Amino acid sequence: MIMINNRLHGFQRSCRSVAFPRWTTVDASAHKLLVYLVFVFLSVTLPIAAGAKDNSDVVSAKSFGKTAKDEPVTLYTLTNKDGMSVSLMDYGAAVVNLLVPDRTGKLDDVVLGFESVAPYFTQTAYFGATIGRYGNRIANGSFKLGDHTYQLPKNNGPNSLHGGLNGFDKQLWKVEHKESNPPSIRFSRVSPDGEEGYPGKLSVNVTFTLTEKNQLRISYQATTDKPTIINLTNHTYFNFAGAGNRTILDHIVTLHANAFTPVDSTLIPTGKIQKVAGTPWDFQTAKPIGKDIKAVGGDPVGYDHNYVLEGGASCAAEVYDPASGRLMKVVTDQPGIQFYTGNFLDGTLTGKGGKVYPQYGGFCLETQHYPDSPNHPNFPSTLLKPGQVYKTTTVYAFSTK
């Protein structure tokens, strides 16, 4: 009743501002017509004022299963006024669904994932997850700060990948805040000193916001009580044909980077910064992902490389699907972006709608500092000290053409 009364008060105030004409004489038929029109007007407007649904931004929640420790996992959905929505779970602070319109206005889920939390416990693709403490690889699972060498779990051959065996993607995050207009949710957790071998107690939060302009904005923030390293990112796999519908080899990509960091056979940077011009890694001019993919080699074959971005917030990448008309632009303040084409997907994962995810079934654009930065003094530093605040924002902006 309080909500209804408040809305009615607002309705009354707006009615007072309307100037009705003063009639000096009114005959019986005109009076009946006036009464009828007033009745119709009120019968339409009062139900709206009393709580009829409008097309506002929405944040909703539902159960998504339980962890192995019997902890409830919740799926939160942010929906904007145009009907675009993103669903995120508190396990891994992960993007699960992303409904984006095509050029005809038809919504499709354009990210890879599963219909419940259970498959996320064992899959190693990191679908949609917030990655930390250190996104990407660290050579031999070790790095040095001051006089101390820290050893991390080796979960990717000889290297440590995406924070280790139980990185941020395997943690249940706390929902710290959520709001509408625009719909937004903030996840947080405290990573204790020594977790996965990293020094310092790290307090971290990540905020997902869906704007009225069909932009998904991801903002990260962290502080530490000891010197440590940090490199947070998001590992969403996109497919603008719809998750599981076909490969992404015909998606057209532009990367606004004239250099990349070459890697060895275990995908660790060599330390060199190499120009992309004249190589298969050159996406300065838009081209289909599949055009030169065989020429990049690798085992398995495909792109899994860090591109060097210019300083300051800038448009790092653009991806266009000619069939659907979906276009995504990536804007970030980070110095690098990892372009990954789902090379390690092999058809053994069955996702949403019972669809199998084949090799090249999705691509990732992970904004970041460079892989293995702590072991390369010439790379931008990932050191975070007590008293400093780690902050970074990435925007995935969607439109059609």
Side-chain angles (χ1 to χ4, degrees), residues 58-126:
V58 175
V59 179
S60 61
K62 69 175 184 180
S63 174
F64 203 54
K66 292 185 176 182
T67 69
K69 298 178 180 179
D70 205 36
E71 301 164 304
V73 177
T74 302
L75 186 71
Y76 298 89
T77 299
L78 316 181
T79 306
N80 70 11
K81 291 181 174 66
D82 291 331
M84 179 176 167
S85 67
V86 58
S87 297
L88 307 119
M89 64 173 172
D90 44 9
Y91 181 80
V95 175
V96 175
N97 306 307
L98 183 61
L99 297 181
V100 178
D102 66 8
R103 64 165 62 91
T104 69
K106 179 177 177 290
L107 292 169
D108 281 306
D109 188 355
V110 299
V111 300
L112 277 56
F114 302 105
E115 293 178 340
S116 68
V117 70
Y120 288 92
F121 301 150
T122 55
Q123 60 86 27
T124 57
Y126 302 93

Side-chain angles (χ1 to χ4, degrees), residues 358-378:
Q359 187 179 43
Y360 314 128
F363 69 89
C364 302
L365 286 168
E366 306 158 66
T367 57
Q368 61 180 10
H369 274 59
Y370 306 169
D372 200 32
S373 286
N375 295 314
H376 296 279
N378 58 316

Side-chain angles (χ1 to χ4, degrees), residues 38-345:
V38 170
F39 173 80
V40 171
F41 176 76
L42 292 177
S43 69
V44 172
T45 57
L46 286 179
I48 294 175
K53 290 183 179 179
D54 58 12
N55 194 25
S56 298
D57 298 325
V58 175
V59 179
S60 61
K62 69 175 184 180
S63 174
F64 203 54
K66 292 185 176 182
T67 69
K69 298 178 180 179
D70 205 36
E71 301 164 304
V73 177
T74 302
L75 186 71
Y76 298 89
T77 299
L78 316 181
T79 306
N80 70 11
K81 291 181 174 66
D82 291 331
M84 179 176 167
S85 67
V86 58
S87 297
L88 307 119
M89 64 173 172
D90 44 9
Y91 181 80
V95 175
V96 175
N97 306 307
L98 183 61
L99 297 181
V100 178
D102 66 8
R103 64 165 62 91
T104 69
K106 179 177 177 290
L107 292 169
D108 281 306
D109 188 355
V110 299
V111 300
L112 277 56
F114 302 105
E115 293 178 340
S116 68
V117 70
Y120 288 92
F121 301 150
T122 55
Q123 60 86 27
T124 57
Y126 302 93
F127 286 145
T130 295
I131 302 297
R133 293 190 186 189
Y134 199 96
N136 222 304
R137 293 169 176 83
I138 294 182
N140 301 310
S142 68
F143 65 94
K144 191 173 183 179
L145 282 183
D147 295 328
H148 188 80
T149 298
Y150 294 90
Q151 186 62 53
L152 312 174
K154 296 179 181 180
N155 62 325
N156 185 244
N159 307 315
S160 183
L161 174 65
H162 293 332
L165 294 169
N166 293 290
F168 287 2
D169 62 297
K170 295 292 191 291
Q171 307 296 331
L172 189 63
W173 292 60
K174 177 183 176 183
V175 174
E176 191 175 81
H177 181 74
K178 58 181 184 290
E179 64 181 38
S180 299
N181 300 316
S184 177
I185 188 167
R186 181 164 68 240
F187 299 100
S188 67
R189 73 176 303 263
V190 175
S191 176
D193 183 16
E195 184 176 60
E196 294 298 292
Y198 291 90
K201 182 177 77 172
L202 189 76
S203 299
V204 58
N205 66 67
V206 54
T207 303
F208 296 84
T209 303
L210 184 61
T211 76
E212 294 182 6
K213 295 181 179 180
N214 286 358
Q215 300 170 341
L216 177 60
R217 184 170 68 241
I218 308 177
S219 298
Y220 309 85
Q221 183 170 314
T223 58
T224 183
D225 65 351
K226 292 181 181 178
T228 191
I229 60 171
I230 185 171
N231 189 28
L232 304 181
T233 190
N234 181 271
H235 209 290
T236 294
Y237 290 70
F238 299 95
N239 185 327
F240 294 158
N245 285 346
R246 53 180 165 84
T247 73
I248 44 80
L249 294 177
D250 59 352
H251 285 37
I252 297 173
V253 171
T254 306
L255 296 176
H256 298 289
N258 64 10
F260 76 111
T261 51
V263 294
D264 65 18
S265 62
T266 67
L267 298 176
I268 290 293
T270 63
K272 296 180 180 179
I273 305 293
Q274 180 178 326
K275 297 296 184 181
V276 298
T279 76
W281 291 271
D282 190 355
F283 284 89
Q284 294 180 97
T285 300
K287 68 179 181 183
I289 291 174
K291 181 179 179 181
D292 296 320
I293 195 167
K294 291 183 179 179
V296 304
D299 183 19
V301 171
Y303 295 96
D304 195 0
H305 297 83
N306 170 67
Y307 283 76
V308 176
L309 304 175
E310 295 183 4
S314 62
C315 182
E318 300 174 48
V319 184
Y320 173 61
D321 174 34
S324 68
R326 292 186 177 96
L327 172 67
M328 181 179 77
K329 296 184 179 182
V330 183
V331 178
T332 186
D333 54 14
Q334 288 287 274
I337 187 167
Q338 188 83 6
F339 179 43
Y340 172 55
T341 49
N343 317 328
F344 287 94
L345 297 176

Side-chain angles (χ1 to χ4, degrees), residues 13-36:
R13 285 195 296 272
S14 65
C15 285
R16 292 194 189 104
S17 64
V18 179
F20 289 94
R22 291 175 177 245
W23 294 354
T24 55
T25 60
V26 180
D27 60 24
S29 60
H31 182 267
K32 290 180 180 179
L33 177 61
L34 177 60
V35 171
Y36 173 74

